[in-house]
Amino acid sequence: MPGQELAVRLRLLRTKRWPGYKLTLKELAKVFGTSISLIASWESTTKLTVPTVARLDDYARFFCTRRSVADGVHRFIPFDELNEAERAEMELLKGELLSLRGKALGASPDPGSMEELLRFPDGNAVAVIVAEVPDAVGLPPLYSDPQSPDYIEAYRYADLDSLIELYAYLRAANPSTAVNRRTHKMIGPNDLTDHIVLLGGSDWNDVTKVTLDQLAMPIVLVNDWDTPEGPYFEVEGRRYHRKLDDADALVADVVLLYRGPNPHNRKRTVTIIAGMYGRGNLGTIQAFTDRKFRDRNNQYLSERFKSDAAFCLLLRVTVVNNMVVTPDLTLEASRLYEWPPRP
């Protein structure tokens, strides 16, 4: 089987890449920051599991030089410390593994496919659109006034923790792709016809509101901030609220994750990450950037929605002592609702 070629090659890299030196599954899993069972699944020739492109990048970078295991210490050599020959070997190995991956999948991935939520293999530009902080919030003029010598543009962006995490990962995962960050007031006509990632709910982000109105999905976001229950998502008559403790501290947020064709350009995609609060958005982003969780979460989406042109989930993101806990999508408790329904 074509998929077996990749599995066999990955096992040979681990066990016979360097004469007289064999890595165990446990050692390689520790370097990659993942589980032993996942490494083993990539090497299995009976139950094929295809690694993401990012993981094959890890293989190429690690196995391009024996210095990765020098003195019995297993580590990635920083890219800027690789010599010319090692970089050439890394690119050669990466090309080989990607070719085998293509054979295992049977075809090249479509633009924005669900093999990895935050990777856009077609190379087209990505626009990250987040709300601009309203004037009523009252930011310090020293930093938010463009006429001030100490003006900092980033003060204009709402949900800054989430934006930093998302933007940094998009740049790293799509090195040859233009990734543009915009507030909803800064967008130009070309931004809306790129791949777009909408960050934050529709109460401040007008682009999210307009886009949600254009999409055919059963979830409705109700920004009801004036009642004790607060805002909620409504699906088929059921309401999903965030949870606060007795001191009104956030305990759990509810977040909409949507992926489908861009309504402004069907050849591109729209991704929406919209929670009630910023920490819900951050947790959802971490689900696809955190090395401990991103492979299994991407794999869950790929397997669950592989035949769907568009899909959405409502996720529960837990907060403990004001710290966000990265959700594991393979746990049923993390998923409040999924659409389309299971066949």
Side-chain angles (χ1 to χ4, degrees), residues 316-331:
R316 176 187 286 111
V317 176
T318 304
V319 179
V320 178
N321 292 331
N322 294 318
M323 299 299 295
V324 175
V325 179
T326 302
D328 181 348
L329 271 59
T330 65
L331 299 178

Side-chain angles (χ1 to χ4, degrees), residues 96-117:
E96 177 195 357
L97 295 178
L98 290 177
S99 177
L100 292 175
R101 183 176 188 272
K103 291 180 182 179
L105 293 172
S108 298
D110 293 328
S113 72
M114 279 321 311
E115 290 173 33
E116 189 172 348
L117 184 73

Side-chain angles (χ1 to χ4, degrees), residues 136-331:
V137 172
L139 293 173
L142 179 64
Y143 301 116
S144 61
D145 183 353
Q147 302 303 315
S148 169
D150 289 309
Y151 171 66
I152 299 174
E153 184 194 16
Y155 265 90
R156 300 171 64 183
Y157 293 86
D159 217 349
L160 200 52
D161 284 348
S162 300
L163 177 62
I164 291 171
E165 179 75 11
L166 175 62
Y167 182 73
Y169 188 83
L170 285 171
R171 290 289 302 272
N174 305 275
S176 61
T177 298
V179 181
N180 304 307
R181 63 182 187 275
R182 304 281 190 263
T183 73
H184 72 283
K185 294 183 178 180
M186 293 167 54
I187 59 170
N190 291 330
D191 294 322
L192 291 180
T193 55
D194 290 333
H195 292 295
I196 57 176
V197 181
L198 301 178
L199 180 57
S202 60
D203 48 350
W204 284 4
N205 193 335
D206 292 339
V207 180
T208 300
K209 183 179 186 305
V210 170
T211 304
L212 287 173
D213 290 342
Q214 294 176 305
L215 300 175
M217 63 175 172
I219 299 175
V220 178
L221 172 57
V222 181
N223 291 306
D224 189 6
W225 292 95
D226 298 326
T227 64
E229 293 79 11
Y232 56 89
F233 290 99
E234 184 169 352
V235 186
E236 301 171 353
R238 181 175 179 181
R239 296 180 177 183
Y240 297 87
H241 292 269
R242 83 287 196 254
K243 184 178 180 180
L244 307 178
D245 65 14
D246 293 338
D248 287 338
L250 184 62
V251 174
D253 200 6
V254 180
V255 184
L256 167 66
L257 173 62
Y258 174 90
R259 163 61 71 82
N262 182 343
H264 306 288
N265 179 359
R266 305 294 288 183
K267 296 294 186 179
R268 303 292 183 270
T269 61
V270 58
T271 305
I272 301 175
I273 300 169
M276 309 297 180
Y277 297 95
R279 278 174 290 181
N281 297 332
L282 178 60
T284 303
I285 292 166
Q286 287 177 176
F288 302 98
T289 61
D290 188 326
R291 292 181 66 90
K292 295 191 295 293
F293 294 95
R294 67 190 187 201
D295 282 330
R296 77 183 75 163
N297 287 335
N298 278 310
Q299 184 175 349
Y300 178 82
L301 293 185
S302 180
E303 294 177 355
R304 170 66 177 84
F305 301 107
K306 57 186 175 183
S307 62
D308 298 309
F311 70 87
C312 61
L313 304 89
L314 286 181
L315 304 178
R316 176 187 286 111
V317 176
T318 304
V319 179
V320 178
N321 292 331
N322 294 318
M323 299 299 295
V324 175
V325 179
T326 302
D328 181 348
L329 271 59
T330 65
L331 299 178

Side-chain angles (χ1 to χ4, degrees), residues 3 6-7 10 37-52 104 299 303:
L6 178 60
L10 295 180
S37 60
L38 191 57
I39 297 288
S41 72
W42 296 336
E43 296 182 7
S44 173
T45 57
T46 56
K47 186 178 180 181
L48 300 178
T49 301
V50 180
T52 64
Q299 184 175 349
E303 294 177 355

